[in-house]
Amino acid sequence: MSEANMSERAAVSIRHLSKSFDDVEVLRDVELEVKTGEVVTIIGSSGSGKSTLLRCINWLEKPDRGSIHIAGQRIGVHEDGRPMPVRELAKVRAQTGMVFQGFNLWPHLNVLHNVTEAPIHVQGKSKREAEELATALLEKVGMSHKHDSYPNTLSGGQKQRVAIARALAMQPEVMLFDEPTSALDPELVGEVLAVIKDLSAEGYTMVMVTHEMAFARAVSDQVVFLEKGLIIERADPETFFTTPKTDRVRKFLENHDTPSPA
Amino acid sequence: MSNWDILWDERAQFWSGFLSTLEIFGLSIVGAFVIGCGLLYLLEGSRKRLTIPLRIFIDSMRMLPFLILAYLLYYGLPSVGIRLDAWWSGVGALAVYHGAYFAEIFRGNRLTFPPGQIEAAKAHGFTKGKMFFRLLLPQIIMQTRPLLGNQLIYALKDTAFLVIITVSELTAAANSLSSTYFIPTEAFIVVIGFYWAISVTMEIIIKQCGRFSAKRGFDNV
């Protein structure tokens, strides 16, 4: 099978991805394939490049070399190397939904309008259609009672659940989670993880950076360990967490042996 | 007949001056607001060869006494073949001058805008224009509301300068009555009352707008 065909099959296909900040190489020839319906967790110590990798997928960071395809569509540059015009880039980006560590809701819009904003004003959906979709998604994340509230009145866990609904409203090919529970009080982590777990059960394609090891083990199809910008280990979660191949991962897991949630 | 009676008899002159001031003020602040928003938009994510001249323009307006700008537009422009009457010179000068101030107020606030929100917008497929008008600008306006209110009061007071380039507004009315009847104190007390009335009304409106933003958590203002 040719490379192009393989890219078409995958929700996300990352090839030979490299990226440096000044002199520091944060990603080195990373290869990653995420099939539709698959949940891939990226693990690594801080500074390993995992957030950068995730942020390259929707071009919030521009890689120096390599290619990324979302559902067969190249992001950021055309196949012939021409840079992609912003409008086109925005269209490909809209194929991904991103959930941030810091929620990043738009504070001047209420919960419902945070979720309908992009479907209406980016995708051109009718107000009615967008609101029906938003209502269903807010129901799914357990926030339907807060339609009219403004973000400043919500807890961190509630904000993050709204942010998840907002990203889902784009009906993306893949959901990207960048440490979605790292900014939350410990007692609020569970409610967000429960939502993400439901999504994985429903077959959403997801790529997630997280420090919640027990959770990663429970929901992932594939776990990837990143160290200094290199993928040094990838495996199904059972193999990864019980019989890691490298000393580095064994050490890392020993330091993270407090599985609590889910 | 007391001085006050004289002024009462001449109330039509005050009234027409007042309406003229309102008209000049209203038009010029709308113009200034549009110019301020436009400058902010042009500064947003543009290349240096555009932002540097814009910053120079904004700063040179801020360093220029308003009266000199009004003079330049009224007496200076004809020498390059552009002739504006006093009224339009005044409105234009006010709009450009306070537009630069509006831009500077917006720009200062833009610097502290949370970058995460911009990233969220990009991640959701927003392009610059939609992001600016739907997400950035509304928040920046809500957050700078008290500063904008202040600037409006400055703009109102600057309308009084236009008497010098022969615009017949409120201060001009007082000026003419005080010199006709030699009653400067009373005439100017009356116009002070008018300026206060406009300012206080404006303050109340701007305070009311504050409720709208407080509900959304912009209460640090």
Side-chain angles (χ1 to χ4, degrees), chain B residues 116-211:
Chain B
Q117 280 193 47
I118 306 279
E119 287 197 334
K122 285 182 180 167
H124 285 78
F126 277 87
T127 47
K128 180 186 161 187
K130 285 232 168 88
M131 177 170 81
F132 180 83
F133 286 106
R134 298 211 46 91
L135 305 176
L136 265 172
L137 191 58
Q139 290 189 52
I140 288 177
I141 290 169
M142 277 186 236
Q143 219 135 23
T144 55
R145 179 185 53 86
L147 295 173
L148 297 179
N150 243 348
Q151 196 59 41
L152 293 181
I153 289 177
Y154 284 127
L156 173 66
K157 292 191 295 185
D158 279 351
T159 60
F161 277 120
L162 300 184
V163 65
I164 297 176
I165 57 166
T166 74
V167 177
S168 50
E169 38 68 79
L170 197 48
T171 303
N175 216 12
S176 115
L177 290 171
S178 85
S179 50
T180 312
Y181 300 102
F182 305 106
I183 44 172
T185 310
E186 287 86 346
F188 284 114
I189 284 173
V190 171
V191 294
I192 288 171
F194 276 111
Y195 285 119
W196 275 8
I198 303 174
S199 301
V200 169
T201 311
M202 212 154 57
E203 279 278 298
I204 291 169
I205 293 170
I206 285 170
K207 265 236 168 72
Q208 290 302 311
C209 296
R211 287 188 183 179

Side-chain angles (χ1 to χ4, degrees), chain A residues 55 58 87 90 93 96 100 104-108 117-118 121-122 150 152 166-167 170, chain B residues 116-117 119-127 130 134-135 138-139 142 215-218:
Chain A
R55 291 161 55 84
N58 64 357
R87 277 179 193 286
R93 262 183 181 147
T96 68
F100 298 85
N104 298 338
L105 293 179
W106 299 307
H108 62 305
E117 181 70 11
H121 298 283
V122 173
Y150 286 93
N152 67 311
R166 177 177 69 170
M170 302 299 289
Chain B
Q117 280 193 47
E119 287 197 334
K122 285 182 180 167
H124 285 78
F126 277 87
T127 47
K130 285 232 168 88
R134 298 211 46 91
L135 305 176
Q139 290 189 52
M142 277 186 236
K215 201 172 153 196
R216 289 157 176 76
F218 295 94

Side-chain angles (χ1 to χ4, degrees), chain A:
Chain A
M1 192 184 281
S2 77
E3 230 178 69
N5 281 338
M6 281 178 64
S7 302
E8 270 166 38
R9 244 185 9 161
V12 180
S13 169
I14 299 172
R15 302 210 172 277
H16 302 297
L17 197 74
S18 296
K19 162 95 185 156
S20 300
F21 289 120
D22 297 322
D23 293 340
V24 187
E25 276 191 289
V26 284
L27 293 175
R28 292 190 277 175
D29 204 31
V30 170
E31 301 262 323
L32 185 65
E33 188 94 2
V34 183
K35 294 193 195 73
T36 303
E38 203 178 21
V39 178
V40 174
T41 308
I42 305 167
I43 290 173
S45 44
S46 67
S48 60
K50 51 193 193 313
S51 275
T52 308
L53 174 58
L54 194 76
R55 291 161 55 84
C56 280
I57 295 177
N58 64 357
W59 217 253
L60 285 182
E61 299 286 355
K62 284 178 197 160
D64 301 331
R65 280 183 304 284
S67 70
I68 298 166
H69 289 79
I70 314 288
Q73 158 101 63
R74 180 92 179 252
I75 189 166
V77 281
H78 285 291
E79 296 294 355
D80 58 11
R82 279 179 303 127
M84 194 173 261
V86 281
R87 277 179 193 286
E88 210 174 318
L89 172 62
K91 277 216 178 90
V92 188
R93 262 183 181 147
Q95 300 283 307
T96 68
M98 190 174 231
V99 175
F100 298 85
Q101 185 178 342
F103 328 126
N104 298 338
L105 293 179
W106 299 307
H108 62 305
L109 303 175
N110 68 19
V111 164
L112 182 69
H113 292 154
N114 260 280
V115 181
T116 58
E117 181 70 11
I120 294 173
H121 298 283
V122 173
Q123 294 178 321
K125 283 204 168 82
S126 74
K127 197 170 169 228
R128 224 189 99 189
E129 196 185 348
E131 285 185 355
E132 275 169 14
L133 176 64
T135 306
L137 290 171
L138 286 170
E139 179 88 49
K140 191 199 283 280
V141 300
M143 288 297 294
S144 47
H145 59 302
K146 291 283 189 183
H147 270 199
D148 301 327
S149 302
Y150 286 93
N152 67 311
T153 64
L154 304 179
S155 74
Q158 291 176 324
K159 282 182 192 168
Q160 196 60 301
R161 287 187 281 148
V162 173
I164 292 171
R166 177 177 69 170
L168 289 171
M170 302 299 289
Q171 299 174 310
E173 290 288 333
V174 56
M175 287 284 286
L176 309 172
F177 291 88
D178 190 5
E179 302 195 26
T181 58
S182 296
L184 295 176
D185 290 341
E187 73 266 26
L188 301 178
V189 169
E191 63 186 69
V192 172
L193 294 184
V195 167
I196 302 174
K197 202 172 181 180
D198 286 349
L199 298 180
S200 81
E202 283 179 44
Y204 280 92
T205 310
M206 306 198 272
V207 182
M208 182 163 38
V209 171
T210 186
H211 291 293
E212 303 285 344
M213 295 302 142
F215 178 69
R217 186 170 177 172
V219 302
S220 307
D221 297 302
Q222 194 188 157
V223 179
V224 167
F225 189 90
L226 212 59
E227 171 79 358
K228 292 183 181 137
L230 276 174
I231 293 184
I232 61 168
E233 202 158 329
R234 70 177 90 208
D236 64 275
E238 271 324 293
T239 315
F240 182 87
F241 286 102
T242 54
T243 53
K245 289 192 286 270
T246 58
D247 283 345
R248 178 66 192 97
V249 172
R250 213 167 295 135
K251 269 229 176 70
F252 180 87
L253 291 175
E254 276 165 21
N255 293 333
H256 282 79
D257 61 355
T258 48
S260 57

